[in-house]
Amino acid sequence: MEKVKKSAEEKMKKAIHALEEEFNSIRTGRAQASLFEKIKVDYYEQKVPLNQVANISIPEARLVVIQPWDKTILGKSKKQYRNPSFR
């Protein structure tokens, strides 16, 4: 019985964590940096989350500034985000 209870608690904690992640991505009147956590870019032949290779800031409600630390990723990333399937 204890095993079942422990397993159920673990699954519930995972479900709550997943729900919190989804709540963080809900759009409000202002852009949020957390919206970019799931975006991956090519960086030395590997897919890496955007927030691990760039600073993401939101200075105004409708303005997002992304400053990559390594300028070499700009070329591929621009092409990737202009692709209609990205939107």
Side-chain angles (χ1 to χ4, degrees), residues 27-81:
R27 294 182 184 213
T28 59
R30 182 174 173 86
Q32 297 177 357
S34 64
L35 292 173
F36 298 92
E37 289 177 356
K38 295 180 182 177
I39 295 176
K40 303 221 186 251
V41 295
D42 286 327
Y43 187 63
Y44 292 105
E45 306 299 324
Q46 299 214 348
K47 294 284 187 180
V48 179
L50 181 61
N51 63 350
Q52 290 183 8
V53 295
N55 286 330
I56 302 171
S57 61
I58 321 288
E60 298 175 23
R62 298 186 64 151
L63 177 65
V64 176
V65 178
I66 300 174
Q67 297 173 308
W69 302 322
D70 182 359
K71 304 296 182 197
T72 61
I73 65 171
L74 286 176
K76 288 182 182 178
S77 298
K78 282 182 184 178
K79 288 178 189 175
Q80 180 180 351
Y81 301 127

Side-chain angles (χ1 to χ4, degrees), residues 4-20:
V4 172
K5 183 179 175 184
K6 194 166 198 112
S7 174
E9 279 183 27
E10 224 174 271
K11 288 179 182 178
M12 284 186 241
K13 284 180 183 178
K14 287 180 183 178
I16 290 172
H17 180 70
L19 183 61
E20 286 173 345

